[in-house]
């Protein structure tokens, strides 16, 4: 392991249109001269794609780190405009390789990658290049608008990421005030947000038509590189959640309401899971980094060493600050094979997630960095979210390090309830998107009515009281994936179904669960989701009963 690598070592030359054209001409020339083995051309292409992706990752990271920087914004605009040019070159080369001797190509990159390419080439045509650039611009407008929020709660000015501690305060009025501030911001910007989404739905539906699809749904699935399941299986999984999880979450919320003596459960009560106050980190940023070192060392020395490299090398930006984009993510620089974790600490238990969830992504990316070919460095996202979410459960035994001995049990309980409660919301987001793209002509008011209808199915307990914007169905506008990453959201719920299976195994044999987890990380994206799941010894979320088992065990644990 290179322990001396630092973030400042990550450099990438800015590509240009001409430069890309020359690179691809050179690769095509290699393919034109048969004595040159196919593998040489593919190696060269792989290297060029790594360089390009490292540069693009840096540009997008720097913009997320400071959305107010003119330089970062100009660089991002440049990258957004160049993206479709690079995709065009890539797609043409993939088409050429697919038309080549398939066996020879498979021998170099593997059958799974060929399948990915077969899917990829149907998602791009130069006819949609301008639409893709426009789509990226609209997504960036959404990010900037949300990052610009300045909200006042309890005399303090904060941004959307900073609302979380108020939203789970023990003071019910403060929780209400936080939600009021959140939804007033969305109500004030509702027209702009509706406008951005109208444009996105129109653009995506238009791109699908240009590529020969009936709607955006099949294109959306292909852009997520799903080659092993479709909308019918996903719909069946949503039904499983409605059948097995929704009633349980309803019962858990009703127990909480009764225990707290609330006359009714309001939406601003749902995030206060623990009656004594949600356990939170027992210290600040530096404390958590130090504790995380111990936690990962104990879990697995290899993981501990990796985390130390991330921490010492500056591969994390975790503090919340003005102008920083919201949310948390893990990105990577495939020229070096090293990832980067971005987050916004706000003092709540959510901060612990950075170490348990984003670190799972980072560790997978690191473990599989030597797999041949950039196409398999990351799995498709539903599989990638197993790597991250399973680590949330596998770190349960170490939680005293983060929240203190007396709060560790309460933390685990809170996390388990939070995970179960997430499933109905997650499938609701997914269902909403299917309906939206199946009916692209919906007006903003019809979309809100649709959300309300689905919310009643999956979260029948939801009561927004006097919060007018979500009460009329506007809750979905706060979910960035709906704008920026269509059809991604179901991945969290499919992965959670698998991650909870790791939790079950770790209760019986922690060492074996950890070993299987680590092996799964090492597999990277070498196979499609359902195959990775099977290899890891997990039951596919699409199989009957997968969800039922974990839900039964969770209910038993929570009742104990
Ligand atoms: Zn994740």
């Amino acid at each position: 392991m290179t322990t001396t690598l630092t973030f400042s070592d990550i450099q990438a030359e800015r590509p240009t249109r001409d430069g890309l054209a020359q690179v691809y001409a050179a690769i095509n020339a290699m393919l034109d001269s048969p004595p040159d083995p196919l593998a040489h051309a593919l190696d060269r292409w792989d290297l060029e794609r790594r360089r390009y992706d490292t540069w693009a990752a840096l540009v997008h990271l720097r913009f997320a780190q400071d959305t107010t920087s003119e330089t970062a914004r100009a660089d991002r605009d440049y990258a957004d405009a160049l993206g479709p040019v690079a995709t065009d070159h890539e797609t043409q080369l993939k088409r050429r390789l697919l038309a080549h001797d398939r066996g020879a190509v498979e021998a170099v990159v593997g059958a799974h990658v060929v399948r990915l390419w077969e899917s990829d080439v149907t998602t791009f045509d130069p006819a949609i290049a301008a639409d893709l650039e426009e789509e990226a611009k609209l997504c960036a407008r959404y990010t900037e608008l949300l990052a610009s929020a300045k909200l006042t709660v309890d005399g303090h000015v904060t941004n959307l990421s900073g609302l979380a501690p108020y939203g789970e305060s023990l003071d019910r009025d403060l929780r209400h005030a936080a939600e009021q501030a959140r939804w007033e911001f969305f109500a004030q910007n509702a027209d702009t947000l509706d406008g951005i989404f109208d444009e996105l739905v129109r653009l995506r539906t238009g791109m699908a038509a240009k590529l020969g699809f009936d709607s955006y749904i099949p294109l959306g699935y292909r852009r997520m590189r799903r080659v092993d399941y479709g909308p019918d299986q996903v719909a069946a999984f949503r039904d499983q959640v409605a059948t097995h999880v929704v009633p349980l979450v309803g019962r858990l919320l009703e127990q909480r309401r009764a225990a707290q003596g609330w006359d009714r459960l309001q939406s601003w009560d749902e995030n206060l899971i623990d009656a004594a106050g949600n356990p939170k980190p027992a210290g600040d940023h530096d404390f958590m980094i130090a504790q995380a070192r111990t936690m990962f060392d104990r879990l697995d020395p290899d993981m501990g060493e990796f985390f130390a490299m991330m921490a010492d090398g500056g591969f994390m930006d975790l503090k919340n600050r003005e102008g920083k984009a919201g949310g948390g993510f893990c990105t990577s620089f495939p020229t070096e094979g090293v990832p980067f974790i971005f987050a916004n600490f706000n003092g709540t238990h959510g901060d612990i997630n950075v170490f348990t969830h984003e670190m799972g992504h980072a560790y997978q990316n690191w473990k599989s960095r030597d797999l041949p070919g950039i196409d398999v460095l990351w799995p498709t996202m539903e599989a990638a979210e197993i790597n991250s979410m399973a680590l949330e459960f596998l770190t349960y035994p170490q939680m005293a390090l983060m929240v203190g001995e007396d709060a560790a049990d309460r933390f685990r309980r809170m996390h388990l309830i939070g995970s179960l409660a997430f499933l109905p919301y997650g499938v609701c987001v997914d269902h909403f998107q299917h309906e939206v793209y199946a009916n692209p002509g919906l007006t903003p008011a019809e979309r809100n009515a649709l959300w309300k209808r689905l919310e009643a199915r999956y979260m029948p307990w939801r009561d927004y009281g006097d919060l007018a914007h979500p009460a009329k169905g506007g809750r979905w506008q706060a979910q960035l994936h709906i704008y920026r990453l269509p059809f991604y959201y179901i991945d969290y719920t499919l992965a959670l179904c698998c991650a909870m299976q790791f939790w079950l195994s770790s209760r019986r044999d922690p060492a074996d669960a950890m070993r299987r987890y680590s092996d799964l990380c090492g597999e990277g994206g070498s196979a499609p989701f359902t195959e990775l799941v099977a290899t890891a010894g997990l039951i596919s979320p699409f199989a009957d009963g997968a969800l039922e088992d974990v839900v039964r065990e969770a209910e038993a644990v929570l009742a104990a």
Side-chain angles (χ1 to χ4, degrees):
M1 187 178 296
T2 320
T3 46
T4 51
L5 194 67
T6 65
F7 181 49
S8 54
D9 295 331
I10 309 290
Q11 303 286 344
E13 206 180 312
R14 179 176 168 131
T16 62
R17 282 171 191 259
D18 287 349
L20 285 172
Q22 280 165 23
V23 160
Y24 277 86
I27 297 167
N28 274 298
M30 290 169 86
L31 290 170
D32 287 335
S33 42
D36 212 11
L38 178 65
H40 287 177
L42 289 169
D43 278 351
R44 169 79 195 275
W45 183 35
D46 194 62
L47 178 70
E48 296 295 346
R49 285 172 79 193
R50 283 172 196 259
R51 284 181 179 153
Y52 185 91
D53 282 11
T54 292
W55 166 76
L58 273 174
V59 166
H60 285 101
L61 174 62
R62 284 182 182 137
F63 174 66
Q65 288 181 304
D66 185 2
T67 63
T68 64
S69 157
E70 285 306 321
T71 316
R73 179 197 306 261
D75 285 350
R76 186 215 58 201
D77 288 346
Y78 178 83
D80 287 347
L82 195 62
V85 178
T87 305
D88 190 13
H89 285 299
E90 279 189 18
T91 307
Q92 285 186 46
L93 198 59
K94 285 173 187 172
R95 287 211 177 101
R96 175 168 184 183
L97 289 164
L98 290 169
H100 196 277
D101 173 3
R102 190 189 165 116
V105 177
E106 273 188 9
V108 181
V109 299
H112 174 54
V113 169
V114 171
R115 245 172 115 186
L116 289 175
W117 292 353
E118 280 173 342
S119 176
D120 292 346
V121 298
T122 65
T123 67
F124 182 82
D125 186 277
I128 66 161
D131 298 335
L132 288 172
E133 190 181 345
E134 182 62 22
E135 184 187 29
K137 278 194 186 129
L138 288 162
C139 291
R141 267 183 67 202
Y142 177 82
T143 305
E144 284 165 36
L145 179 59
L146 265 59
S148 75
K150 287 191 175 59
L151 314 162
T152 307
V153 191
D154 200 28
H156 299 278
V157 179
T158 185
N159 56 18
L160 286 165
S161 299
L163 274 186
Y166 302 104
E168 52 186 73
S169 163
L170 277 170
D171 178 344
R172 201 179 192 195
D173 291 337
L174 204 50
R175 293 201 300 277
H176 177 250
E179 289 304 287
Q180 212 163 26
R182 179 194 310 278
W183 296 116
E184 267 167 22
F185 171 80
F186 281 95
Q188 279 161 10
N189 292 286
D191 289 346
T192 309
L193 289 164
D194 280 330
I196 293 173
F197 197 63
D198 272 339
E199 277 297 292
L200 282 168
V201 173
R202 190 189 56 77
L203 262 176
R204 288 173 181 149
T205 303
M207 285 192 271
K210 287 176 194 171
L211 294 168
F213 296 104
D214 289 341
S215 78
Y216 180 70
I217 298 169
L219 175 57
Y221 272 59
R222 283 163 187 248
R223 286 173 91 185
M224 294 300 297
R225 303 188 106 182
R226 290 173 187 156
V227 294
D228 54 338
Y229 62 92
D232 290 349
Q233 281 141 302
V234 169
F237 177 76
R238 292 196 302 260
D239 287 342
Q240 278 205 60
V241 172
T243 305
H244 300 294
V245 185
V246 171
L248 170 59
V249 175
R251 286 197 294 279
L252 291 169
L253 288 170
E254 171 53 23
Q255 281 166 18
R256 196 188 310 167
R257 186 204 61 76
Q260 291 271 11
W262 295 325
D263 54 341
R264 57 207 295 179
L265 179 100
Q266 301 287 359
S267 62
W268 50 90
D269 297 324
E270 288 185 39
N271 287 334
L272 179 66
I273 298 178
D274 188 310
N278 292 347
K280 50 188 181 200
D284 62 5
H285 172 273
D286 295 353
F287 166 86
M288 290 180 74
I289 302 257
Q291 295 299 88
R293 282 182 199 262
T294 310
M295 177 168 83
F296 292 123
D297 266 337
R298 287 184 189 169
L299 260 183
D300 180 340
D302 179 54
M303 199 184 275
E305 201 184 329
F306 166 66
F307 181 76
M309 184 210 70
M310 295 276 290
D312 297 339
F315 290 99
M316 295 191 272
D317 176 359
L318 309 180
K319 292 177 181 167
N320 186 16
R321 57 177 181 270
E322 211 181 309
K324 196 171 164 182
F329 59 81
C330 171
T331 186
S332 75
F333 311 110
T335 45
E336 310 295 333
V338 57
F340 188 102
I341 295 176
F342 174 96
N344 286 279
F345 275 2
N346 56 27
T348 71
H349 59 92
D351 298 353
I352 296 170
N353 243 35
V354 168
F355 298 101
T356 57
H357 181 103
E358 300 305 338
M359 175 64 180
H361 286 307
Y363 186 60
Q364 173 271 308
N365 194 252
W366 175 254
K367 281 285 279 184
S368 62
R369 70 193 181 284
D370 293 328
L371 288 179
I374 192 166
D375 283 287
V376 300
L377 294 186
W378 288 107
T380 45
M381 292 318 295
E382 72 294 73
E385 296 300 346
I386 306 177
N387 302 132
S388 54
M389 289 177 141
L391 197 57
E392 295 179 32
F393 291 95
L394 292 168
T395 49
Y396 270 14
Q398 314 292 334
M399 251 332 121
L401 286 166
M402 288 297 188
V403 297
E405 202 64 59
D406 49 335
D409 253 336
R410 285 169 41 223
F411 177 91
R412 290 186 277 266
R413 199 180 160 82
M414 169 184 71
H415 181 271
L416 189 55
I417 294 174
S419 301
L420 291 166
F422 173 75
L423 287 165
Y425 174 72
V427 297
C428 187
V429 168
D430 180 68
H431 200 155
F432 177 73
Q433 298 182 86
H434 280 84
E435 294 290 330
V436 161
Y437 290 104
N439 305 284
L442 293 182
T443 64
E446 286 168 336
R447 267 185 229 126
N448 286 346
L450 166 66
W451 176 266
K452 250 181 97 122
R453 200 161 63 241
L454 294 172
E455 212 170 45
R457 169 172 157 82
Y458 295 107
M459 292 163 279
W461 51 80
R462 183 59 53 89
D463 181 349
Y464 290 108
D466 63 351
L467 304 175
H469 188 69
K472 69 173 191 200
R475 167 70 184 83
W476 62 273
Q477 296 192 312
Q479 190 56 58
L480 78 87
H481 300 68
I482 294 178
Y483 282 79
R484 293 177 41 193
L485 302 159
F487 293 109
Y488 185 143
Y489 219 67
I490 197 68
D491 293 4
Y492 294 111
T493 66
L494 297 171
L496 188 49
C497 176
C498 299
M500 288 181 81
Q501 295 180 55
F502 269 114
W503 168 65
L504 289 194
S505 328
S506 71
R507 289 169 63 79
R508 282 153 206 153
D509 187 347
D512 177 65
M514 197 59 211
R515 195 162 42 240
R516 285 194 292 123
Y517 170 75
S518 191
D519 287 349
L520 178 65
C521 288
E523 290 287 323
S526 57
F529 171 63
T530 48
E531 213 175 299
L532 288 170
V533 164
T535 308
L538 306 169
I539 305 169
S540 163
F542 304 126
D544 272 349
L547 205 48
E548 214 176 335
D549 283 353
V550 289
V551 167
R552 194 183 303 116
E553 176 108 355
E555 183 160 28
V557 166
L558 290 170

